[in-house]
């Protein structure tokens, strides 16, 4: 029986990955961003970045994303690394904690990559045991992220979606749905991306990632590379549209790790995610109203109007657009590309 952990919610709006070039500007401007996500390994020591994150944590909800636990390691999780992660969580009290369905440690050596697993009962037992160790140590639920893939093991007895669903059932963990990774893997391994998303346990998905990818030609084949180095492409926006239509709104992160742009670009991408999610939910409400029986209420029974406050980074993004006239010409092109993909 999986142990139950109380979840702490981040708003179902779009956030951005906090990168070192933007820390000073985030502190000085305090732009309207839904939440921030940081890589745990960058905050396990001391220094100005750690001090800055302590200040930013007072302003924005926070998610901590690990890249070094190596949940697929047969020898178990590195206890020293796990203890460092525990101290990060204790210090910053993040609302979400996540890691990858991958391994990255061999014979005590940390590899600079996230490597895939074979999806079978033996690997399932190893990963489930490691996740249980992590959750018991952190005393919280951890979200597990699907990996981008370029090759598949011929002797896997289940697919990745089935493997993730079994992990949820056995450990009570949550899932981090990386929509870009789904697109990359589905293209490279030739399966249907929407079917993959639909096969995941919807209630377990606590966060979504969006990012860009690179396109490489290898011989006569096109291979997608998960490089997090560009805007979210139309095909990924289309898949995000499917995910939100299927799941409902989820906390959504804009990831950008290489060729990091100015902060306003990240805020603009987050704005598009929020606007798309809001548009989908508005359309759903409109459809429900059209099918519901009409009831006329007396004026006295109508609720008083209440103003609402949004944490969407719309204001910051539109301020950036106004400051850069050329962006006005680009916006219809981006939107047109999205509609074509959807």
């Amino acid at each position: 029986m999986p142990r139950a952990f109380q979840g702490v919610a981040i708003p179902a709006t779009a956030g951005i990955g906090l990168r070192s070039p933007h820390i000073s500007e985030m502190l000085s401007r305090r732009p309207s961003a839904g939440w921030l996500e940081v890589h745990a390994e960058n905050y396990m020591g001391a220094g100005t970045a750690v001090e800055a994150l302590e200040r930013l944590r007072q302003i924005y909800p926070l998610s901590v994303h690990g890249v070094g636990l190596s949940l697929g390691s047969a020898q178990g999780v590195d206890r020293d690394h796990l203890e460092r992660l525990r101290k990060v969580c204790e210090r910053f009290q993040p609302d979400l904690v996540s890691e990858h369905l991958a391994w990255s440690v061999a014979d005590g050596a940390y590899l600079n990559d996230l490597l895939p697993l074979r999806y079978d009962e033996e690997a399932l037992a190893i990963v489930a045991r490691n996740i249980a160790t992590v959750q018991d140590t952190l005393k919280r639920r951890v979200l597990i992220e699907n990996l981008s893939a370029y090759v598949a093991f011929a002797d896997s007895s289940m697919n990745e979606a089935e493997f993730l669903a079994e992990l949820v059932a056995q450990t009570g963990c949550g899932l981090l749905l990386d929509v870009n990774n789904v697109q990359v893997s589905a293209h490279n391994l030739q399966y249907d991306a929407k079917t993959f998303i639909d096969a995941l346990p919807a209630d377990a998905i606590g966060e979504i990632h969006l990012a860009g990818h690179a396109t490489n030609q290898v011989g006569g084949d096109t291979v997608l590379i998960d490089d997090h180095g560009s805007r979210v492409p139309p095909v990924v926006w289309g898949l995000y549209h499917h995910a939100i239509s299927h799941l409902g709104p989820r906390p959504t992160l804009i990831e950008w790790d290489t060729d990091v742009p100015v902060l306003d670009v990240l805020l603009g991408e987050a704005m598009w995610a929020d606007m798309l999610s809001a548009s989908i939910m508005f359309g759903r409400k409109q459809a429900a109203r059209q099918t519901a029986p009409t009831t006329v209420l007396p004026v006295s029974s109508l609720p008083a109007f209440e103003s609402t406050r949004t944490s969407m980074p719309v204001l910051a993004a539109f301020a950036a657009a106004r400051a850069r006239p050329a962006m006005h010409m680009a916006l219809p092109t981006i939107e047109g590309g999205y509609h074509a993909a959807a």
Side-chain angles (χ1 to χ4, degrees):
M1 186 74 179
R3 181 175 173 182
F5 293 92
Q6 184 175 2
V8 181
I10 271 181
T13 55
I16 62 173
L18 181 65
R19 301 298 177 255
S20 55
H22 303 144
I23 290 176
S24 177
E25 189 174 1
M26 288 295 299
L27 284 168
S28 61
R29 280 179 54 189
R30 298 191 178 189
S32 178
W35 51 284
L36 302 178
E37 185 164 277
V38 299
H39 288 156
E41 286 74 13
N42 291 337
Y43 295 88
M44 290 180 170
T48 56
V50 173
E51 295 171 2
L53 186 59
E54 288 182 331
R55 295 167 60 189
L56 288 168
R57 181 65 181 99
Q58 305 306 313
I59 305 168
Y60 301 99
L62 181 66
S63 174
V64 165
H65 190 45
V67 296
L69 275 179
S70 192
L71 294 175
S73 292
Q75 65 267 36
V77 175
D78 184 314
R79 293 289 181 158
D80 291 336
H81 189 87
L82 179 56
E83 175 61 16
R84 289 190 290 269
L85 177 61
R86 187 194 67 78
K87 290 180 178 179
V88 167
C89 293
E90 185 178 74
R91 183 171 191 172
F92 298 107
Q93 293 296 308
D95 300 301
L96 293 176
V97 176
S98 56
E99 247 292 354
H100 299 80
L101 180 61
W103 65 275
S104 56
V105 179
D107 296 328
Y110 277 81
L111 308 175
N112 189 28
D113 208 344
L114 297 167
L115 301 172
L117 307 169
R118 188 179 67 245
Y119 300 128
D120 60 14
E121 293 296 334
E122 182 181 4
L124 181 65
I126 291 170
V127 179
R129 182 175 65 246
N130 289 341
I131 290 175
T133 298
V134 173
Q135 293 187 143
D136 287 343
T137 300
L138 301 184
K139 295 180 173 54
R140 62 165 69 222
R141 185 181 71 155
V142 174
L143 307 183
I144 306 303
E145 178 181 350
N146 57 289
L147 205 62
S148 55
Y150 308 96
V151 295
F153 287 92
D155 54 351
S156 288
S157 59
M158 62 186 84
N159 61 42
E160 186 182 19
E162 293 169 336
F163 193 92
L164 287 165
E166 279 298 317
L167 284 177
V168 171
Q170 292 188 23
T171 69
C173 69
L175 298 179
L176 193 170
L177 172 60
D178 191 312
V179 173
N180 181 63
N181 286 359
V182 175
Q183 178 59 34
V184 168
S185 298
H187 172 88
N188 292 338
L189 303 184
Q190 295 297 296
Y191 62 78
D192 185 74
K194 294 179 180 178
T195 300
F196 177 96
I197 291 174
D198 294 347
L200 297 174
D203 290 344
I205 298 174
E207 182 181 341
I208 289 176
H209 276 185
L210 295 174
H213 56 255
T215 301
N216 285 20
Q217 294 299 132
V218 180
D221 297 325
T222 300
V223 178
L224 302 186
I225 305 296
D226 177 34
D227 67 347
H228 297 177
S230 57
R231 293 180 185 272
V232 180
V235 67
V236 176
W237 283 124
L239 195 55
Y240 181 62
H241 183 286
H242 175 81
I244 297 300
S245 298
H246 175 65
L247 302 169
R250 292 291 192 277
T252 298
L253 183 85
I254 303 299
E255 275 193 304
W256 204 315
D257 296 314
T258 60
D259 296 325
V260 177
V262 297
L263 178 59
D264 286 334
V265 171
L266 296 184
L267 295 172
E269 293 289 276
M271 176 199 73
W272 283 114
D274 276 327
M275 291 179 68
L276 178 54
S277 180
S279 175
I280 292 168
M281 299 315 295
F282 178 77
R284 183 179 294 182
K285 289 180 181 179
Q286 289 294 91
R289 286 172 182 164
Q290 291 173 2
T291 58
T294 303
T295 303
V296 179
L297 299 175
V299 174
S300 60
S301 67
L302 295 176
F305 174 79
E306 295 182 1
S307 62
T308 58
R309 181 178 179 273
T310 178
S311 62
M312 298 191 302
V314 174
L315 294 180
F318 275 116
R322 285 196 298 269
R324 295 170 174 81
M327 287 187 66
H328 292 290
M329 298 301 294
L331 296 181
T333 303
I334 296 171
E335 184 177 13
Y338 158 69
H339 285 300

